[in-house]
Amino acid sequence: MGKRAGDRRKGPKCVAIVGPFASGKTTLLEALLARTGAIPRQNPVSSGSTVGDHAPEARAHQMSVEATFATTQFMGESITFVDCPGSVEFAFEAQSILAACDLAIVVAETDEKKFPALQLIMRQLDGMGVPRMLFLNKIDRATAGVRDTLKLLQPASSTPLLLRQIPLRNNGIVVGSIDLALERAYIYREHAESTVADIPDDEKAREIEARFSMLEGLADHDDALMEQLLEEIEPPKDAVFDDLSADLRDGAITPVLIGSAEKGNGVLRLLKAIRHDAPDVEATRARLGVAPGGKTLHVMKTVHTAHGGKLSVARVLSGTIADATELFASSGASGKVSGLYRMLGKDQTKIQSAEEGETVALGKLDDVATGDTLSTSKNPAALTALQVSPPVYTLALRSRERKDDVKLSAGLQKLLQEDPSLSMEQNQDTGETIISGHGEMHLRVTAERLENKYQIAIDQHPPQVPYRETIRKSMTQRGRHKKQSGGHGQFGDVVLDIKPLPRGAGFEFTDTITGGVVPKQYIPSVEAGVRSYLKAGPLGFPVSDIAVNLADGSFHSVDSSDMAFQMAARIGMKEGMAACSPVLLEPILKVDIYTPSEATAKVTALVPQRRGQILGFDARPGWPGWDVVEATMPQAEIGNLIVELRSVTAGVATYTAAFDHMAELTGRQADDVMNAHGKAAAA
């Protein structure tokens, strides 16, 4: 006992700050930087002047929309803190960051409404094997007891939440904390170091009980400590600290510290716990499977700055990297570092080299992407693979001025590099530029960045729904094109059998011509004319699920031509299709909605409101307390589905959708679609 953790890890550390939206992560970053002297004072988030609020979109929405990197010094050691966005819409940002971090600080509060979001974060940390501490923030506003809060939060964590501190109250108001490992009281002072005090007599019984509970948790992984507890022997404090460090690094526990980031309370104790207990880059290398020796980096984020060009923020996992070093990426890219920078929010300090464990920005590696593994050796193996969830929200964009089309394309490409969870496609049917992402705010911020950062005025609207039309009746129709205008005329004559096909069959063209009434060389022209017409049927939409047979016709030895038979086919289709009882078709999607179980009833109530049909629901495999609701829903109804889903699930529900079938759309809804389509075509 007392030697499990070994020596304290002294190298540069990288610590992610994660937690649900509005839990106080940016405020905690400010408090940490102010306490370590990296910034002169702690600025409130509402001021718009925090280190993490350098993006105008963050200031406008009072929320973090991208990760902020800030390197500081504490007691002679370097720590890079990374403030990750809390909204589920920007959660992807943390994936490549957490991969190379030594530790995560999970910022939580005593608000059970944020439990589902906390569960998502804890699952991500579990899946990546990242050690974590939990900082129970806003302790000065807490109404529930800390241990009751941990009972509520424990189901979100696969590892035991181990309370290291308990609040010290005076007349029901939190005035400090009691450290259960040190057995000392700390009286809070706003934005100043707490005053050390003896534990008040009326708090000693509560401290003894809470400390014993902490020791019991540690004893689950230390037989010697278990024996001491059974024999009622007080364990040495250094042995207790050794167990706390070892169990944290092993991922066996999640230590819980308390405080108020807004007032700077509990921040110094948190810093000391990080310094003493956190693993370092050696443990992170082992977790990622980095081979010993050599020079290896992991790209955590890509940033396009206004004047400095592209920056690749990376963790140096092994070796020392100097400016002008040539690096090779796991994606096949390569490049020479042009500028090496230490980051403090938007501010950068140029350095000549970065040692093992440091987190720095590398200049102008133009072809390197977020998530890449970099090395001085060619063809390095990728240490991680980014997992992008399916998008849940889409927008169609276009530049307001045609002269900005090229700028829009270039701006979108840079945003896609900065945020790999965004996707873009050019819809060939509608000509629209479609961007897809993880929520309404995600794409709103994307559009704002195009305007703020790249000065591109854009228009945005929901993407067009790919409606189709088909027919209900069969029809035989003659189409004749005859034109005489001096010299050779134009003549084509066809008889077309038009009939509906089963849903999903597409289009079939056949011919039953006998006797050469339509010469063989003109039959492909007839098919071409039919296909040309089917691009917009009598209702104005592409036609599907239809069969056309060329049954008869006639020709003129001089005036017939390919073009004449194409025109004849189009005339026959136009006249015949109108009599075939055309009907509108809309795409129906198969939708799987993932929701906390307590919100399942609300989710199932939303589906029929959007013309959807519930197919069933069941427990989500591997997700205790979650369900998956299966349904079908028209694509026209799914546009802002995610907004409603998240409003009834504390912001955490999501869904996947895939095309299932086409279905007839009739009545007023069909009329509305056709009217809107007609107005758009006339515009």
Side-chain angles (χ1 to χ4, degrees), residues 39-121:
I39 57 177
R41 64 181 180 279
Q42 178 179 339
N43 291 303
V45 171
S46 58
S47 71
S49 301
T50 63
V51 168
D53 282 339
H54 50 274
E57 301 80 30
R59 293 194 296 271
H61 300 295
Q62 289 288 291
M63 64 184 295
S64 296
V65 297
E66 61 183 334
T68 297
F69 293 78
T71 300
T72 186
Q73 298 289 317
F74 179 64
M75 298 179 70
E77 295 183 16
S78 175
I79 306 174
T80 297
F81 290 103
V82 191
D83 176 19
C84 299
S87 168
V88 67
E89 299 191 27
F90 301 95
F92 176 84
E93 182 96 344
Q95 189 179 142
S96 59
I97 291 166
L98 288 169
C101 282
D102 305 319
L103 179 74
I105 302 299
V106 182
V107 183
E109 55 184 302
T110 58
D111 182 354
E112 62 183 57
K113 293 179 182 178
K114 294 183 178 179
F115 171 81
L118 181 66
Q119 186 180 20
L120 292 180
I121 293 163

Side-chain angles (χ1 to χ4, degrees), residues 429-440:
D429 292 334
T430 66
E432 295 176 311
T433 298
I434 308 294
I435 60 170
S436 303
H438 291 100
E440 187 269 340

